[in-house]
Amino acid sequence: MAELRRLLVESQRFEAITASDHLLSLKQDEVHYLRRVLRLRNGQAVAVVDGVGHFWEAHLQAGDFLKLDTSPSSPCLQQPRHRQQLALAVVIPKRGFEEVLRMSCELGVNRIQPLRSDRCTPQAEDRPLRWKVILREAVEQSEQLWQPELLPIAEASSLWKSAPVHAVFALATTRRQGLIDLQLLMEGLTPEINQVTVAIGPEGGWSPIEECAAEAAGWVPVALGDSILRTCTAAVAAAQTMVSSRRISLARDQSRSD
């Protein structure tokens, strides 16, 4: 049986659903997507997710509604939040940031922080509404139950603060001797570490002032391999490394508990 097509609905909208009818009112763009893009008809099934770990099966109804098969308080599937939260902070490049968002979401990053820095591209655009659409589509396409948190754009200097207990902050950089590889850093994390943030700089690299301020605040300078990567490539490589290491760590912890 084919997997149902998914629709991401904001979690607060489930509060308006009554226990008696289980009807979810659809927005016009959702109606267009279900009826015009997917060409669904009344009575056909759709998977509904809220982006915070819950999944329902529903059926399209006349009058632009979905009827949940179970009550909002009893989803068909629940997925707990990952114990180890992975965050990616990226200086916005001139082109390609939407792909960074899409691929980071598909890989399983939990939080994304767009940045401006001393050497950022002046033409880089702040498009939060468009970026939210990209993330929503990525959640639906990749069949995830959790939507990454997209933070407002910030200055990189606002990040350089001491890492809280049980957290690790890593600054991706290049052309320096003695850098630890991000993969090795992740493999060496102890079980109590519940937050990892990796910051990716602009095409021209971090400024000396930024690197000094970050390290003074406890950020660990790391390498992403031997090559000099573009911002977009570096961001996706960092996301892949973090997520892969988390999977390995979870599997290891599970085997120990068994």
Side-chain angles (χ1 to χ4, degrees):
M1 178 174 156
E3 179 70 24
L4 297 178
R5 298 302 295 268
R6 297 198 176 197
L7 181 70
L8 175 64
V9 175
E10 298 89 342
S11 59
Q12 60 268 26
R13 289 170 58 192
F14 289 86
E15 298 173 2
I17 300 176
T18 64
S20 58
D21 59 24
H22 296 179
L23 289 179
L24 172 67
S25 179
L26 296 170
K27 297 179 179 179
Q28 285 305 303
D29 61 329
E30 295 167 343
V31 173
H32 175 82
Y33 173 65
L34 295 175
R35 295 192 181 277
R36 299 297 180 86
V37 178
L38 299 184
R39 298 186 180 277
L40 297 182
R41 297 183 179 182
N42 292 341
Q44 290 189 277
V46 180
V48 180
V49 297
D50 61 1
V52 288
H54 304 105
F55 169 103
W56 293 263
E57 188 169 327
H59 289 79
L60 189 60
Q61 306 290 301
D64 301 335
F65 291 93
L66 283 175
K67 184 171 184 178
L68 304 182
D69 288 1
T70 57
S71 71
S73 60
S74 301
C76 301
L77 180 64
Q78 298 185 63
Q79 181 185 78
R81 178 185 172 103
H82 280 295
R83 179 188 62 79
Q84 188 183 79
Q85 294 288 288
L86 305 178
L88 194 63
V90 185
V91 176
I92 305 173
K94 183 177 180 180
R95 297 185 184 87
F97 188 64
E98 291 185 2
E99 282 303 305
V100 169
L101 291 173
R102 184 176 290 108
M103 288 189 277
S104 298
C105 175
E106 292 174 0
L107 288 168
V109 169
N110 307 111
R111 186 179 300 112
I112 302 171
Q113 171 68 76
L115 296 174
R116 295 195 189 281
S117 69
D118 292 348
R119 295 174 177 172
C120 66
T121 304
Q123 296 90 342
E125 297 181 341
D126 181 10
R127 305 181 65 189
L129 295 180
R130 171 61 181 165
W131 295 343
K132 288 179 181 178
V133 171
I134 294 294
L135 287 178
R136 185 191 70 203
E137 292 175 347
V139 170
E140 293 171 344
Q141 185 277 327
S142 58
E143 300 182 356
Q144 297 196 52
L145 298 189
W146 284 87
Q147 181 178 23
E149 179 184 5
L150 178 64
L151 300 175
I153 191 169
E155 295 296 325
S157 57
S158 68
L159 289 184
W160 315 142
K161 55 187 177 182
S162 299
V165 178
H166 307 321
V168 170
F169 290 168
L171 185 78
T173 187
T174 59
R175 297 189 176 92
R176 292 177 53 178
Q177 298 295 320
L179 291 174
I180 182 173
D181 192 87
L182 178 60
Q183 179 71 50
L184 294 177
L185 177 69
M186 293 294 300
E187 291 175 357
L189 296 181
T190 54
E192 62 268 18
I193 297 299
N194 56 30
Q195 177 186 345
V196 180
T197 300
V198 178
I200 307 296
E203 303 292 350
W206 302 106
S207 70
I209 292 177
E210 288 171 330
E211 292 209 23
C212 287
E215 290 185 59
W219 285 66
V220 181
V222 298
L224 298 175
D226 298 328
S227 302
I228 305 299
L229 305 177
R230 295 172 55 248
T231 295
C232 295
T233 308
V236 175
Q240 177 66 65
T241 298
M242 286 194 292
V243 173
S244 296
S245 297
R246 179 172 64 185
R247 290 196 190 106
I248 294 171
S249 176
L250 290 174
R252 183 175 59 239
D253 293 346
Q254 182 63 38
S255 64
R256 288 174 177 172
S257 63
D258 294 342

